[in-house]
Amino acid sequence: MESKAIRRIGVLTSGGDAPGMNAVIRAVVRTASANNISVLGVRRGYSGLINGDIIEMAARSVDGIIRKGGTMLYTARCPEMMTEEGLQKAADTCKYLGIDGLICCGGDGTFRGAQALSRKGVPCIGVPGTIDNDIVCSDYTIGFDTACNTAVECIDRLRDTMQSHERCSVVEVMGRRAGHLALNVGCAVGATATLLPEREIDFETDVIEKMRMGRIKGRNHHIVIVAEGYGSAQSVADRIHESTGVDTRVTILGHIQRGGSPTSQDRIMATRMGYAAVRALMDGKTNRVIVLEDHRITDLDIEEGLSRKKDLNQDLFEAQQAVAI
């Protein structure tokens, strides 16, 4: 059966913001404009779709946003989308405005909303945007590289003062359910130990003894990275101080990791994925998520994508453990 011609599409960002979301919006608008497709920007995620918070967008309306963090369309979490009434309102808005397809940038919750709308007859394509890099079906998510670089820059600054005072710094980075960010940051800053929700450790062997051996070999300061999903950074610091007597301070980087101008990698990946999302709609696809798989941009069925499992990079984990002495 011949695909319906795409005349008008919508684009939204949902869930937690990530650097590079603006670059996705730009790529979607520019790609659509190049193919004579009009674009409606849905503000505040699915909440904006339910409430009709929608603006018209054109190629010039996205000038300069590729370098900006956050999202010009704003973002919000929308519990109402989990109800049949809210879902139907969102689908009715698309029908009323003649939206032939919707591109949704965000994480797992965003994709579940897109999946539900697809079942209501609204063609939807998901684009992975989250700093945690925890979208199981994609090797990379937009915002991850920028968040890593932001955390590394902050910790490099912390190291200067930790070294001056011969202290231990326990730094909590984001990652409630996944330790990808913490693992990469820990490797990049040369952390003494990195604590992750996916890996059980022997605290005495993997943290305390490493600190002791480091001191014996001449190290007078330590950095310990804790993924927020592992547990309390303060509890880790208290345990270190109790066992070693070392002056230990806690720093929680928090939402600073979400902000800032996106790196070149995030800008490029966002552009490629935004372009691929529009092309997928033009090809008549729905209920798909754009992913990076084996260094290629492709798309998968959302249900299949959500059912996959994603573990930490074991090679990186082993390398980081080996050099943290």
Side-chain angles (χ1 to χ4, degrees), residues 14 19-20 24 34 62 79-80 92 104 130 156-157 175-176 196 200 219 242 248-249 259 269 272 278 307-308:
S14 177
V24 173
V62 293
E80 197 175 351
D92 288 345
C104 312
T130 167
D156 283 348
R157 292 172 184 269
R176 281 182 298 170
L196 312 165
E200 291 186 12
R219 175 181 286 179
E242 182 180 346
T248 305
R249 305 296 176 91
M269 195 62 66
R272 293 176 66 191
V278 176
S307 69
R308 292 188 178 186

Side-chain angles (χ1 to χ4, degrees), residues 157-176:
R157 292 172 184 269
L158 272 176
R159 185 186 292 280
D160 293 342
T161 186
M162 291 299 109
Q163 187 171 16
S164 298
H165 291 273
E166 299 183 296
R167 290 171 176 159
C168 174
S169 181
V170 176
V171 183
E172 180 183 291
V173 300
M174 283 186 163
R176 281 182 298 170

Side-chain angles (χ1 to χ4, degrees), residues 194-243:
T194 304
L195 310 183
L196 312 165
E198 297 93 335
R199 296 289 187 270
E200 291 186 12
I201 64 163
D202 182 315
F203 199 87
E204 182 67 26
T205 300
D206 296 324
V207 181
I208 303 303
E209 192 58 29
K210 279 189 175 181
M211 289 180 62
R212 288 175 176 149
M213 290 304 298
R215 184 67 186 92
I216 291 169
K217 294 177 184 298
R219 175 181 286 179
N220 67 355
H221 67 286
H222 304 278
I223 300 286
V224 175
I225 305 298
V226 180
E228 61 179 320
Y230 173 83
S232 166
Q234 186 61 58
S235 296
V236 171
D238 292 344
R239 195 168 175 184
I240 289 172
H241 180 69
E242 182 180 346
S243 297

Side-chain angles (χ1 to χ4, degrees), residues 66-127:
I66 194 171
R67 66 179 182 270
K68 296 180 179 178
T71 162
M72 68 170 292
L73 290 176
Y74 310 110
T75 183
R77 304 188 191 280
C78 184
E80 197 175 351
M81 268 295 284
M82 300 175 67
T83 68
E84 179 59 30
E85 182 182 4
L87 181 61
Q88 189 60 54
K89 283 183 180 179
D92 288 345
T93 299
C94 292
K95 182 177 180 181
Y96 177 56
L97 296 177
I99 294 176
D100 299 315
L102 191 64
I103 294 172
C104 312
C105 181
D108 282 356
T110 301
F111 298 159
R112 289 189 175 91
Q115 184 181 47
L117 276 174
S118 294
R119 290 171 178 162
K120 288 283 187 182
V122 181
C124 290
I125 306 294
V127 176

